[in-house]
Amino acid sequence: MTQTEHSLPDFLSTLENEGIALKRGSPLPPSEILAVPAADWGRCALATKARGLRWSAGWGEDLSGCLRINALLELNGRYLLLRTEVPAEKPELPSQAPHYPAADRSERHSRDLLGVRFTDHPDARRWTRHQAWAEHVHPLRKDYPASGDPSPDPDTGRQETPPDKDYPFIQAKGAGVYEIPVGPIHAGIIEPGHFRFQAVGETVLNLEERFGYVHKGIEKIAEGRDAEGLIKLAGRVSGDTAVGHAFAACMACERAAGIEIPPRAAFLRAILAERERIGNHLGDLGAICNDVGFAFAHYQFGRLRENWLRDNRAVFGHRLLMDRIVPGGVNIDLHPAQVQQFDAALTQLGRELDELLTIVDRNASLGDRLYTTGVLSAAVAADLGCLGYVGRSSGQDFDVRRNAAYPPYDQLTVKVPVEESGDVGSRFWVRYKEIRVAIRLLRVLQGRLPDGATSTKWRPPEAGAEGLGI
């Protein structure tokens, strides 16, 4: 699995020639599995990075007696899952973050909540493990209850968590240097995050962000749930991605159970996903304009989004499409009259976008504030493993619907808009172009909607079965 599309055996032999002993596991579609000795965890990351693999995701598991650490890598739409295990009583592991910056927060999360010590990790600060937990407590371990520790404070008699106020943000000092704290509580509906800007005049010297304030323990409360309960939970990880998270979680469950959903169900899932994409992009386009004082565009994009969400509710019963995707398929359907209604709405949306984007594009003041602002270079985006519209705004030509296609996208042509400048303007235009792509996809999906069932009977997977959803 190299840039020249070598096979996995070729890749294995290459690493073994470098003294890294690997063991091939049973495939976990769409990924291959490699078991890596703990001592070689960091060296393996160095080798895969040198061969162009992107670090995609990482997570840990408590297997009772040992902890398993996973790292999912990708190249050209092919996936490789690295796994290693460390003893629970003294879990130490070389870090992959020196080679893959994208691994930084995942490893900090595993360190805080599972107790894994990454010996050469570049950032030793406590992050998601806030003051509710004592130093020796790791809440993702099996022996820690999902309900937490309900013991009241001995002085007040109330269950209180001390504020996590001593996080050591990076400091900048010098003549004319000042610091601007933002958050963690914000005036809008965005989730809390704490930002620290150090600046001289209008030049920002450093921006550091701290997230994790809304860590909900979802990994913990997911344990032991049936498939339906798990998918409901996944759809609530983040309100703007109810479809995306439920879609991926269902794929994992269905692969573990060996279930194939009906073709009509796959098309309906994609319709939900593209509708979610359009709704999010409409809201974000307006928010970008509002943040630089162009309130007119904010109102207009907000109006288009509101009309879109009302159609979601009228046809599918929920503005944000929660709980429409279920294990084995979907619990909604589209009738011919509703397809006609959606087609008419797509035509109207396209017409209004044409008018609105003409106004936006001719606004020189708006352009002054978007172009060359907030530049994320292609090199840094690649190093961080950026995906989605952020990655595609910085030259990263990757879309899982095309590069690692799954039903029904494996039957469609998915055009992937890419911008090169990496600034806010690029991120604005990628969003707009993705709306246009989604409109075309929706017309195809609605026009080709197969006949048949919208779900298949669910059966639980066998004990120990695994599935991967991407």
Side-chain angles (χ1 to χ4, degrees):
M1 191 175 185
T2 69
Q3 289 179 340
T4 54
E5 293 291 327
H6 288 178
S7 66
L8 184 61
D10 291 340
F11 183 66
L12 281 171
S13 63
T14 300
L15 293 181
E16 287 168 350
N17 290 338
E18 296 179 11
I20 301 175
L22 302 167
K23 183 179 179 181
R24 188 173 182 175
S26 300
L28 184 62
S31 173
E32 301 280 356
I33 295 180
L34 289 182
V36 181
D40 292 328
W41 189 245
R43 290 181 59 214
C44 190
L46 175 62
T48 55
K49 177 67 179 292
R51 288 159 179 81
L53 279 76
R54 174 178 62 86
W55 197 94
S56 170
W59 65 96
E61 307 167 74
D62 184 355
L63 301 182
S64 299
C66 71
L67 304 179
R68 176 192 285 166
I69 302 299
N70 303 269
L72 184 67
L73 309 177
E74 178 274 332
L75 179 68
N76 298 328
R78 300 169 66 191
Y79 289 87
L80 184 65
L81 182 59
L82 304 181
R83 279 183 163 166
T84 194
E85 295 180 0
V86 290
E89 65 273 10
K90 192 178 180 182
E92 291 189 350
L93 200 61
S95 173
Q96 293 188 342
H99 315 297
Y100 286 115
D104 172 84
R105 284 194 172 131
S106 173
E107 289 188 350
R108 289 177 71 189
H109 185 74
S110 293
R111 181 192 64 209
D112 285 358
L113 302 188
L114 280 170
V116 181
R117 177 174 175 263
F118 292 92
T119 54
D120 53 347
H121 194 282
D123 191 342
R125 293 175 295 175
R126 178 168 167 160
W127 176 40
T128 50
R129 192 162 158 270
H130 56 65
Q131 301 301 320
W133 301 306
E135 195 63 33
H136 65 284
V137 173
H138 301 289
L140 282 187
R141 295 283 187 102
K142 295 290 188 186
D143 58 0
Y144 191 80
S147 59
D149 181 4
S151 302
D153 182 273
D155 297 323
T156 66
R158 297 190 298 268
Q159 291 176 229
E160 295 181 339
T161 299
D164 211 356
K165 59 183 175 56
D166 297 320
Y167 186 79
F169 283 96
I170 294 173
Q171 299 291 312
K173 298 179 180 179
V177 176
Y178 60 94
E179 182 175 82
I180 305 172
V182 181
I185 305 303
H186 301 270
I189 62 171
I190 61 174
E191 294 182 342
H194 193 158
F195 302 86
R196 293 285 184 96
F197 294 83
Q198 286 99 26
V200 175
E202 293 190 356
T203 300
V204 177
L205 300 178
N206 182 65
L207 161 63
E208 184 178 2
E209 72 281 354
R210 186 187 180 197
F211 301 126
Y213 289 90
V214 289
H215 175 69
K216 308 175 184 75
I218 284 176
E219 306 102 315
K220 191 71 174 182
I221 62 177
E223 295 176 357
R225 287 184 174 234
D226 61 14
E228 183 178 1
L230 181 67
I231 303 313
K232 282 182 176 289
L233 182 63
R236 286 159 174 76
V237 170
S238 181
D240 62 3
T241 322
V243 173
H245 288 154
F247 202 151
C250 272
M251 290 170 66
C253 290
E254 288 150 6
R255 284 169 173 163
I259 288 177
E260 288 191 16
I261 66 172
R264 187 175 182 87
F267 270 67
L268 288 168
R269 283 183 178 181
I271 288 171
L272 295 172
E274 297 307 319
R275 291 193 65 84
E276 179 173 80
R277 186 187 313 275
I278 288 176
N280 285 340
H281 283 333
L282 288 172
D284 287 347
L285 290 173
I288 289 172
C289 294
N290 188 58
D291 283 346
V292 293
F294 192 22
F296 167 79
H298 181 221
Y299 298 150
Q300 296 303 321
F301 282 117
R303 177 180 60 83
L304 295 177
R305 179 177 182 269
E306 177 61 25
N307 291 338
W308 192 256
L309 298 187
R310 290 182 182 183
D311 283 348
N312 284 348
R313 179 172 176 78
V315 175
F316 295 129
H318 198 287
R319 290 166 58 87
L320 300 181
L321 306 173
M322 281 186 178
D323 303 330
R324 309 301 95 171
I325 293 179
V326 296
V330 294
N331 60 10
I332 49 89
D333 205 350
L334 263 182
H335 305 298
Q338 293 169 327
V339 170
Q340 291 180 358
Q341 175 187 341
F342 275 175
D343 282 340
L346 290 172
T347 300
Q348 179 66 19
L349 176 61
R351 185 182 301 120
E352 295 213 45
L353 282 174
D354 285 342
E355 296 177 4
L356 184 53
L357 266 295
T358 299
I359 297 171
V360 168
D361 198 29
R362 291 177 178 174
N363 190 298
S365 175
L366 181 65
D368 288 344
R369 288 161 173 78
L370 301 188
Y371 299 119
T372 72
T373 300
V375 175
L376 175 67
S377 71
V380 173
D383 208 29
L384 294 174
C386 293
L387 295 180
Y389 59 83
V390 172
R392 290 190 283 274
S393 302
S394 296
Q396 307 307 298
D397 187 9
F398 181 87
D399 190 310
V400 70
R401 296 171 298 168
R402 180 195 65 190
N403 296 75
Y406 49 91
Y409 294 105
D410 54 356
Q411 305 167 47
L412 307 173
T413 299
V414 180
K415 184 178 179 182
V416 181
V418 177
E419 296 280 334
E420 303 292 338
S421 299
D423 56 7
V424 177
S426 289
R427 293 190 281 278
F428 181 94
W429 288 111
V430 161
R431 285 173 168 92
Y432 167 69
K433 292 175 182 178
E434 287 202 354
I435 291 176
R436 287 296 187 182
V437 171
I439 289 174
R440 289 194 292 270
L441 283 173
L442 283 170
R443 290 197 185 279
V444 173
L445 290 162
Q446 291 163 187
R448 296 186 192 173
L449 190 59
D451 294 330
T454 58
S455 65
T456 190
K457 185 178 180 180
W458 173 253
R459 63 173 185 272
E462 297 180 0
E466 292 185 284
L468 184 62
I470 300 174

